[in-house]
Amino acid sequence: MKIRKICCIGAGYVGGPTMAVIAQKCPEIKVTVVDFNQARIDAWNDENLDNLPVYEPGLDQVVAEARGRNLFFSTAVDKAIHEAEMIFISVNTPTKTYGEGKGQAADLKWIELCARQIAAASDTDKIVVEKSTLPVRTAEAVTDILDNAGNGVKFQILSNPEFLAEGTAIEDLHKADRVLIGGDLNTQGGREAIEALVGVYSHWIPRDRILTTNVWSSELSKLTANAYLAQRVSSINALSELCEVTEADIDEVSRAIGADSRIGGKFLKASVGFGGSCFQKDILNLVYISRSYGLTEVADYWEQVIKMNDHQKGRFAKKIIKSLYNTVSGKKIAFLGWAFKKDTNDTRESAAIYVADHLLCEKANVHVFDPKVKAPQIQSDINYLQSRNQEENESLLSIDTDPYGACRDSHAVAILTEWDEFKTYDWQKIYDSMLKPAQVFDGRNILDHDALRTIGFRVYAIGKA
Ligand code: UDX
Ligand code: ADP
């Protein structure tokens, strides 16, 4: 079966870039990305490519190439579902904030809504592809809804988890290590559906990198991949604390262990803590599923990865407070970076949010500069925690559009995101404008610490004595 029309529900960080690349690489397929958020769709359709709702290096060129040709963004959800032969579900699945499984299980209400909408708007057979990260066995629930709430048409459900990392999404999509497709290998219809999706990806991904599995393996592989990656960050962060009290240097330790080909050098960068929409959520899912099967030791094991991450964020904030003579009340502290990593405007679960919140509880005046994150997003991230009321947040937390302004008259500068431009700032100028002793807290170990010390800064870096 050759696919001619694709619909993707959800125009976010996953749906937007993924569909843009599919449209770019498959010019004969009409790809329509739909979302019920009108402002988001308007931004995707904005003539000025600087206004796209997702910032990703290279995304603007891909959108410029395909938009209007075979890539469309729309709020007409039902129409796009009705037309398409293949529908990707790419909606958000945040951790539940209420009821049973609160704080751990994934909130599947958007997925269920999508399934019901697909069932209602379909009068021909369709292939439904789960793109969002989902707990294992979600496909079962989606299948059940489609089979029972629909108009008698046949649906094939595939799991096709996304492995792109934000900040390198376009590169990751163009040169994926692997594409994973889970489906019903036991039936002719299932195998045909898998082949139809293989046909889409094989426009640009070598066939031997497209892995096919059963649905449950595919769903669990996604959770596991993220859990493994997050575990590496927590492991190196745990050692960073040990390095700080010994004469060891975490970057040297990373280099030494990463040179072992069995360990590998990637994902060994100690930091203020991992963030992003996936790591914490996926591990919590793993923990929740394990507990629900009574696997206490398995659940406890993975939960520790999150506890370590929370500890790392907390101890960074405490280090700042301690170094500023145990009080930050009324003191200006500059934050360089708010995004959860460089080259994205995504702030979900960013370490910066939790470090800022800790300092705001101590009545510090936090001034934030981030090259890509907009002021309303920063305020809304802090308000979302509900640690204090909105007015108090606004009086304590300021957003600057210029890094030098953020640092002027501050007691300390903290690096929360590893944006490249921070390395090339005029640090002498920053030093001259700060209160003394001027302190730098490098939560990403990206600055030249010796050079900063020569200027006169006191420097704290993760995992350095
Ligand atoms: C992750 C997975 O990498 C990706 O495959 C999956 O599809 C989605 O989740 P993402 O969250 O976008 O991608 O970014 P990633 O590069 O994995 O970084 C996650 C967090 O870990 C960031 O906050 C990053 O700064 C932090 N990190 C990463 C470290 O602190 N140290 C490292 O060595 C690597
Ligand atoms: P992700 O990182 O998984 O892409 P985002 O939050 O960036 O998550 O994007 C998910 C998008 O899905 C949001 O723009 C949201 O408005 C959209 N969405 C959620 N549920 C539906 C639905 N039932 N119909 C259409 N769009 C939806």
Side-chain angles (χ1 to χ4, degrees), residues 162-164 166 222 267 269 271 275 279 340-341 444:
E162 189 47 69
F163 293 108
L164 67 82
E166 290 176 28
K222 167 71 181 186
F267 261 77
K269 183 82 185 150
S271 69
F279 281 4
F340 81 98
K341 64 186 282 198
R444 297 288 184 164

Side-chain angles (χ1 to χ4, degrees), residues 1 3 5 7 84-89 118 124-130 146 154-158 189-190 192-197:
M1 178 186 183
I3 300 297
K5 285 185 183 153
C7 157
E85 295 133 2
M86 181 176 272
I87 299 156
F88 287 79
I89 303 183
I118 294 169
T124 51
D125 295 354
K126 298 196 191 292
I127 299 169
V128 176
V129 186
E130 293 178 349
L146 291 174
K154 281 211 160 36
F155 294 100
Q156 282 296 335
I157 318 295
L158 300 178
E192 279 171 10
I194 292 172
E195 274 315 304
L197 186 52

Side-chain angles (χ1 to χ4, degrees), residues 282-295:
D282 289 352
I283 293 179
L284 288 172
N285 265 328
L286 209 52
V287 170
Y288 184 73
I289 297 164
S290 304
R291 274 207 214 296
S292 68
Y293 284 108
L295 309 178

Side-chain angles (χ1 to χ4, degrees), residues 133 162-168 172 178 222 225-226 229-230 232-233 236-237 265-279 282 339-342 346 349-351 418 444:
T133 310
E162 189 47 69
F163 293 108
L164 67 82
E166 290 176 28
T168 52
D172 295 347
R178 76 324 205 166
K222 167 71 181 186
N226 279 341
L229 292 170
R232 279 174 75 94
V233 179
I236 203 74
N237 282 344
K266 292 181 182 162
F267 261 77
L268 287 179
K269 183 82 185 150
S271 69
V272 56
F274 63 73
S277 68
C278 285
F279 281 4
D282 289 352
F340 81 98
K341 64 186 282 198
K342 74 171 180 180
D346 193 352
E349 295 298 334
S350 178
E418 73 280 23
R444 297 288 184 164

Side-chain angles (χ1 to χ4, degrees), residues 326-339:
N326 285 316
T327 173
V328 288
S329 170
K331 289 183 181 168
K332 177 172 175 181
I333 298 172
F335 267 35
L336 295 183
W338 190 263

Side-chain angles (χ1 to χ4, degrees), residues 9-16 34-37 40 54 77 90-93 109-111 113-114 117 132-133 166 277 281 346 348:
I9 308 179
Y13 284 90
V14 172
V34 293
D35 201 299
F36 52 32
N37 182 335
R40 209 163 228 207
V54 169
V77 181
S90 209
V91 302
N92 37 334
T93 50
K109 74 174 173 202
W110 307 116
I111 294 285
L113 205 70
C114 273
Q117 211 160 355
S132 319
T133 310
E166 290 176 28
S277 68
K281 181 186 79 180
D346 193 352
R348 284 175 289 180

Side-chain angles (χ1 to χ4, degrees), residues 60-129:
D60 49 355
Q61 283 114 285
V62 179
V63 171
E65 189 182 329
R67 196 174 60 185
R69 178 188 73 186
N70 64 326
L71 174 66
F72 303 92
F73 295 93
S74 159
T75 50
V77 181
D78 288 344
K79 178 169 175 281
I81 293 173
H82 186 260
E83 278 184 355
E85 295 133 2
M86 181 176 272
I87 299 156
F88 287 79
I89 303 183
S90 209
V91 302
N92 37 334
T93 50
T95 305
K96 273 186 90 175
T97 53
Y98 55 89
E100 188 74 18
K102 175 180 168 178
Q104 289 206 329
D107 193 339
L108 296 180
K109 74 174 173 202
W110 307 116
I111 294 285
E112 176 166 348
L113 205 70
C114 273
R116 290 190 183 280
Q117 211 160 355
I118 294 169
S122 300
D123 56 15
T124 51
D125 295 354
K126 298 196 191 292
I127 299 169
V128 176
V129 186

Side-chain angles (χ1 to χ4, degrees), residues 367-375 378 398-406 421 425:
H367 284 241
V368 183
F369 168 76
D370 187 285
K372 289 290 173 197
V373 182
K374 304 230 160 72
I378 296 174
S398 313
I399 291 99
D400 287 81
T401 49
D402 160 53
Y404 296 98
E421 65 175 65
Y425 285 174

